[in-house]
Amino acid sequence: FENDLAVGVYEGMLEIDSMYTSAWHNLARLYQSTRPLKALEIYEKLLDRGGDTWELLVQTADLYSQLGRFSEAAVKYRRLLELDPSSRALQRQLAETYGRAGNSEGAIRILEKMIEVDDSDVEVIAALADVYLGKREYEKALGLYQRLLKREKDNPQVKLRVGIAYFGHMQTDSTFLPGAKAIFEEV
């Protein structure tokens, strides 16, 4: 529990044996909270040396996300998805990361494919609607939110999202004002 001392010990080990992979892993974990860029450097070297492993890709993707480097995080999530292509959680994470990186088209592609496979996943439908809302494509967002509202009619979060979509759509069509007002009052 004394990170500074542990870092010194691992660095000493690596001076003796620079190929000691376990020491590199442990050193990177210790650096994650205090020196995330140094941790990333180590993780990248380990990936180059040993190839893609689940643990290393997750660690690097998380660190890139924490640092706001979403494009680089997306690369790691794509590589994770190559290891487990059927993981819906990873697909959703990649879509979210694409959205944060400004690649809304990539997010839309992933989410639409997910809906093709399972159109009952309300989280995926909501995520797609949110992406369209962020792109100010209010018609598409509103259609998806209304679809959600039919399924989750008592869910206040869904109602709030529909209200926001109505409110956003009012910028181009003022007839949405009564609908937005009614939903916000209900929520």
Side-chain angles (χ1 to χ4, degrees):
F1 296 106
E2 295 183 32
N3 284 0
D4 293 339
L5 292 174
V7 164
V9 170
Y10 284 115
E11 287 174 344
M13 286 178 180
L14 292 167
E15 284 178 19
I16 296 168
D17 181 3
S18 65
M19 299 304 288
Y20 188 18
T21 304
S22 181
W24 282 114
H25 280 273
N26 290 330
L27 185 59
R29 268 191 227 102
L30 290 169
Y31 278 148
Q32 275 184 233
S33 60
T34 58
R35 298 179 64 195
L37 293 176
K38 186 68 174 166
L40 274 172
E41 183 183 317
I42 293 169
Y43 284 135
E44 290 290 359
K45 283 180 185 178
L46 289 169
L47 282 167
D48 289 343
R49 232 191 252 169
D52 288 354
T53 66
W54 187 267
E55 179 190 355
L56 290 174
L57 288 171
V58 167
Q59 294 295 337
T60 54
D62 287 347
L63 276 171
Y64 280 128
S65 290
Q66 290 169 15
L67 294 170
R69 295 167 60 175
F70 299 112
S71 294
E72 291 158 297
V75 169
K76 301 305 179 196
Y77 286 124
R78 270 197 314 267
R79 287 166 62 179
L80 277 165
L81 211 47
E82 289 171 8
L83 297 176
D84 186 5
S86 64
S87 172
R88 291 184 63 83
L90 264 178
Q91 291 169 4
R92 237 185 357 253
Q93 183 65 47
L94 178 58
E96 180 184 319
T97 306
Y98 274 152
R100 289 181 175 176
N103 182 356
S104 51
E105 295 306 317
I108 289 169
R109 270 193 312 276
I110 291 169
L111 294 168
E112 284 180 343
K113 284 181 186 175
M114 291 177 74
I115 290 172
E116 284 177 21
V117 172
D118 179 8
D119 69 346
S120 67
D121 190 333
V122 294
E123 289 299 318
V124 173
I125 295 169
L128 181 58
D130 290 345
V131 172
Y132 281 128
L133 188 62
K135 287 184 66 176
R136 299 177 189 253
E137 292 185 27
Y138 299 112
E139 285 290 327
K140 290 180 179 179
L142 196 54
L144 290 166
Y145 285 134
Q146 288 173 337
R147 184 170 153 188
L148 279 175
L149 200 53
K150 287 179 185 174
R151 291 185 186 172
E152 302 281 319
K153 59 183 169 240
D154 295 327
N155 187 329
Q157 289 181 339
V158 171
K159 288 180 183 178
L160 184 61
R161 285 174 162 170
V162 172
I164 292 169
Y166 275 2
F167 189 76
H169 202 50
M170 285 179 355
Q171 294 175 7
T172 56
D173 186 352
S174 63
T175 61
F176 280 87
L177 177 62
K181 182 180 178 189
I183 288 176
F184 284 132
E185 286 173 350
E186 186 179 333
V187 172

